[in-house]
Structures are given as structure tokens and as C-alpha cells.
Amino acid sequence: MDDKTFPGPIKISLATAKEWEKKYDGDTTVGDAKNKMKAFLIPRESLENVLALKTEAIRAYIGINDKDEKILFFVGADKDEKSGQYTDVYGRKTLNYNLAKGQGDGDEEEVYNGTRPSPPF
């Protein structure tokens, strides 16, 4: 992929979206139409958290959760000027934060999830 063409079209027409969806529906390389996941229901909070990272872009990874549901999870992405590649940027969660001392035991990297596959959701 050529980073010079990133991000590509930000807005597309509804007609184009429907055309692309129909193309996906007919694609048997990703599964049969009966069992194929078509969309993700994404909680607003997940998007707000990753947007709060203030990165140039967001990367969505595909995974399978503990309920064997296909899900997306999100991380920020910034372009590394040296390599020209986008690198992941994670949220930080302070562990065991003590208000009286104003410090925590450390930070833990986190990604944002909460998506549910559609169908059925």
C-alpha cells in the first residue's frame, strides 16, 4: 500500500457504499453468505477513547473474543517519519492510583473494544 494515497476517500456516496456491500456479500473467499458477518456494532465510548489519543489515524484489528464472536478493537496510529510507516499508539491506564500520593504503581497499555458482530447484534 502506498502511504501517499492514505487515507483515500473519506466520504463516499450511499450508492457506492451499497455497491461495495453487495460486492462483499458475493465474495465467497471470506465465508458463505449464510454465516458471514456483515457489520460491527461499535460503542461510542470505544471511538471516543481512541480519538482522545489525538493520533493521525486509527487502526482496527480483527479478533475473536472469549465468546467466540468476531470483534474489532482499536488503537491509534501515527506515522513514523523515519520509516514512513504507521505505528500503533496505545492508551495508558494507571494501575493502583493513589489520590493521596498522586501516583500509581505503573501504567498498562490498553486498546479499545466493546464491538459486537452483526448479525446477530
Side-chain angles (χ1 to χ4, degrees):
M1 179 174 104
D2 182 5
D3 282 343
K4 293 176 185 167
T5 60
F6 180 79
I10 299 296
K11 296 180 182 180
I12 60 172
S13 69
L14 178 57
T16 299
K18 286 183 177 186
E19 178 185 326
W20 291 356
E21 181 181 14
K22 186 176 179 181
K23 193 175 182 180
Y24 175 78
D25 287 346
D27 183 2
T28 58
T29 63
V30 292
D32 65 76
K34 183 179 174 185
N35 297 317
K36 190 184 302 185
M37 185 186 53
K38 293 183 52 108
F40 291 93
L41 184 62
I42 303 169
R44 179 185 198 100
E45 184 180 356
S46 292
L47 296 179
E48 289 172 345
N49 279 314
V50 75
L51 288 170
L53 297 173
K54 305 266 189 232
T55 55
E56 294 176 52
I58 296 168
R59 184 171 279 130
Y61 284 95
I62 301 168
I64 297 177
N65 67 15
D66 294 337
K67 297 175 186 173
D68 287 329
E69 298 170 331
K70 293 176 185 161
I71 53 95
L72 293 179
F73 53 94
F74 306 98
V75 300
D78 276 331
K79 191 171 188 176
D80 180 299
E81 293 305 320
K82 246 185 192 177
S83 69
Q85 301 293 313
Y86 282 84
T87 58
D88 291 346
V89 176
Y90 304 102
R92 308 289 297 171
K93 179 172 82 174
T94 300
L95 304 175
N96 301 318
Y97 192 77
N98 184 322
L99 282 174
K101 292 183 178 180
Q103 62 187 21
D105 292 343
D107 286 340
E108 178 178 85
E109 293 177 323
E110 60 186 4
V111 300
Y112 306 103
N113 178 24
T115 62
R116 303 304 298 270
S118 177
F121 298 94

